[in-house]
Amino acid sequence: MPLTFSLAATAPASLETPLLAVVLPSEPTLTDELTALDGLLHGALMRTLARRDFRGGRDESLLLVGGEQGVQRVLLVGRGTAPLSRIGARRAAAVAARQAGKLGTGALHLWLPGGDAASVEGLVIGAAAGSWGYPDLQTPPPERDRRARVEQVTIIAPDSEAARAAFAAGVAVAEGQAIAKRLGQMPGNYCTPETFVEVGRDIATRHGMGITVLGRKEMADLGMGAFLCVAQGTPQEPRLVALEYRGAGADQRPVVLIGKGLCFDTGGISIKPAPEMEWMKFDMSGAGGVMGAMEAIGRLKPAINVVGIIGSTTNMPSGEAVKPGDVVRASNGKTIEIINTDAEGRLVLADLLVFAKRYNPSIALDAATLTGAIVIGLGQHAVGVFSTDRTAADEVLAAGEAAGEPGWPMPMWDEYREQIKSDVADVKNTGGRAAGSITAALFLQEFVDGFPFVHLDVAGTAYSQSDLGWIPKGPTGTPVGTFVEFVRARART
């Protein structure tokens, strides 16, 4: 069953719910509203706080049992010492939703005493993150062993226009992240380039967007030799999908979002080691992020024009696959010496960046699980942000911070460009191990012409190979939030 949300101004003590999650700060004290709720618990909340059994630390939770009717359970969730914020609310709500899933209550009411409109948005996004799952390919357990999935989340907040707008925004982002995460979690034999066509057409139909779909022949006609060399080792049809959202006049230059969509990456002839290669199904996370962002934008309807472009294929070894030492020509005429066939995402993005120019962008942002080097440098907690335009980079960094997808600015000095010079072509597709994420970004810059450009390397943040506590291992939804926040901020100016 799909997850559904509602917004209610009901007093918490008068609720009928199997589970009420109350988000509290560090070292909480009883307020009048909490005292009213405590009456249903026969003083258990007061005793719990007095004994400091619950101290409100970040991600801390404690379950209190209520009556058979009304509020049947109260889950206390800590948000720590940080000031009240959308990001803190999101994390606490995710913890609550995960606990609700373990309890099998099916429904969840969320309440953040003293919360503002921004916290309402955070609660929605967090609850969606904490309750998200992909059970599609698993055999359900016997009925007696099943626990109900969270299917209904109600946010308790005072009724106001600001709260309603924040609630709608939260639902939009949550639905966009759900699309990105579903695409990411799907195995490579289920999520194929054609899947992106199907999802793109569905988004376009529901939100009245224009859509362009190109296959191998159309891309060959455009001279996309960089993209197509990656696809020449697979019989699957490669796909370029472009979605056009028109929220402003035709004379307004659009924001262009670009995503790498490698549905599976073996490395090609430069094949990857076998251990953990199964995680390479997530090499389409940039494209999934673009699709998710376009879903959210279609729901939010900001007064701005946005184009989302993804390029999708698989990188496979075969008798037809591109080889190290080969030279290919991108659609802007530049030749590329292939040093390592596992540096394939930048080849796809090169032709997408050239393709983006036809839309006369005000700015282009790309997201890609591009390099292992960025994971070594920044780990799982920060997106690598690359741009030769400091103003544009700062704008993206601010969007990522607001979305809870923080980034870190990386250098793009000309000194690094020496590493991608080729003896036989205009440029090499890799500059070696040293500064690998930087030389990859500089490679992409070779295919940008006439518009500001920011590259997001999300290899460490788009998915997690371990449980992060507040969200499970697997897809995180990054960079949907950053893309959406960037567009919303641009629409407000």
Side-chain angles (χ1 to χ4, degrees):
M1 292 289 292
L3 181 64
T4 58
F5 288 93
S6 59
L7 182 65
T10 311
S14 63
L15 288 172
E16 287 283 342
T17 179
L19 179 63
L20 169 64
V22 183
V23 179
L24 297 174
S26 180
E27 303 299 336
T29 57
L30 279 182
T31 63
D32 290 344
E33 288 179 305
L34 289 173
T35 299
L37 178 63
D38 195 30
L40 304 178
L41 302 173
H42 306 290
L45 178 55
M46 179 179 66
R47 293 190 297 272
T48 295
L49 298 184
R51 294 168 180 166
R52 302 187 75 220
D53 293 337
F54 175 83
R55 304 186 184 189
R58 190 176 74 168
D59 299 346
E60 181 184 359
S61 64
L62 181 68
L63 183 68
L64 302 176
V65 178
E68 293 183 3
Q69 296 180 335
V71 180
Q72 298 173 26
R73 304 171 186 83
V74 173
L75 179 70
L76 306 180
V77 180
R79 59 179 177 87
T81 58
L84 186 65
S85 70
R86 176 175 53 176
I87 305 308
R90 182 190 69 167
R91 185 174 182 127
V95 171
R98 292 199 73 183
Q99 293 297 330
K102 293 174 183 178
L103 290 168
T105 59
L108 167 66
H109 282 71
L110 270 168
W111 177 39
L112 197 165
D116 56 9
S119 65
V120 169
E121 182 174 337
L123 290 173
V124 174
I125 296 171
S131 59
W132 186 85
Y134 181 73
D136 302 39
L137 304 179
Q138 296 175 329
T139 302
E143 187 70 35
R144 66 179 183 277
D145 297 331
R146 294 183 195 176
R147 291 185 181 271
R149 292 174 55 82
V150 178
E151 296 176 355
Q152 174 64 48
V153 175
T154 302
I155 308 300
I156 306 301
D159 184 32
S160 69
E161 184 177 344
R164 291 192 294 273
F167 175 79
V171 172
V173 173
E175 293 290 351
Q177 289 179 336
I179 285 176
K181 289 193 281 190
R182 177 177 170 78
L183 286 167
Q185 192 75 326
M186 292 172 72
N189 59 326
Y190 283 80
C191 179
T192 68
E194 205 61 36
T195 305
F196 281 99
V197 176
E198 295 166 3
V199 172
R201 284 178 173 153
D202 176 60
I203 292 171
T205 298
R206 286 187 291 105
H207 299 300
M209 298 182 189
I211 184 169
T212 299
V213 177
L214 305 183
R216 200 183 300 263
K217 180 182 182 303
E218 294 85 359
M219 285 188 272
D221 291 342
L222 293 173
M224 293 186 173
F227 188 150
L228 290 176
C229 83
V230 180
Q232 70 190 50
T234 175
Q236 289 182 335
E237 184 79 355
R239 290 296 192 183
L240 184 155
V241 181
L243 290 170
E244 297 179 54
Y245 166 80
R246 300 177 184 89
D251 59 336
Q252 185 195 75
R253 299 173 66 188
V255 171
V256 175
L257 310 175
I258 300 171
K260 169 190 171 185
L262 268 291
C263 293
F264 196 83
D265 177 21
T266 68
I269 296 299
S270 306
I271 197 164
K272 294 176 181 291
E276 299 186 343
M277 193 195 290
E278 68 273 14
W279 289 92
M280 288 300 98
K281 71 177 185 177
F282 287 109
D283 212 22
M284 39 53 64
S285 296
V290 170
M291 287 294 179
M294 295 307 290
E295 169 68 22
I297 289 163
R299 288 170 175 264
L300 289 168
K301 296 179 171 51
I304 190 172
N305 294 332
V306 185
V307 177
I309 305 171
I310 70 98
S312 184
T313 186
T314 53
N315 186 20
M316 301 293 288
S318 77
E320 298 296 323
V322 67
K323 310 177 296 299
D326 287 358
V327 173
V328 300
R329 189 179 299 274
S331 48
N332 67 344
K334 287 191 176 183
T335 54
I336 305 165
E337 181 185 5
I338 307 300
I339 302 299
N340 187 324
T341 66
D342 195 25
E344 86 300 327
R346 66 200 70 180
L347 298 171
V348 172
L349 290 172
D351 277 328
L352 296 186
L353 285 164
V354 177
F355 186 80
K357 185 177 179 180
R358 67 182 53 205
Y359 296 102
N360 190 25
S362 62
I363 189 171
L365 281 59
D366 93 84
T369 48
L370 204 64
T371 66
I374 203 67
V375 184
I376 299 302
L378 298 180
Q380 290 184 292
H381 305 294
V383 174
V385 178
F386 300 80
S387 184
T388 57
D389 186 321
R390 177 61 64 86
T391 300
D394 287 346
E395 198 176 349
V396 173
L397 288 164
E401 191 70 27
E405 298 171 355
W408 191 257
M410 300 290 289
M412 288 185 68
W413 303 334
D414 282 341
E415 286 80 357
Y416 292 109
R417 202 177 298 274
E418 296 294 317
Q419 293 176 228
I420 57 172
K421 285 187 175 180
S422 169
D423 293 333
V424 297
D426 295 323
V427 67
K428 296 190 296 189
N429 79 323
T430 177
R433 289 176 60 84
S437 62
I438 298 171
T439 55
L442 286 166
F443 175 89
L444 295 179
Q445 189 73 45
E446 294 287 324
F447 302 91
V448 176
D449 181 20
F451 49 87
F453 165 63
V454 183
H455 161 59
L456 305 179
D457 196 331
V458 296
T461 55
Y463 63 96
S464 174
Q465 292 180 249
S466 60
D467 194 309
L468 298 178
W470 61 288
I471 53 174
K473 70 178 181 180
T476 65
T478 301
V480 172
T482 301
F483 281 161
V484 173
E485 282 302 314
F486 183 89
V487 168
R488 290 168 78 182
R490 278 279 173 115
R492 289 193 291 266
T493 58

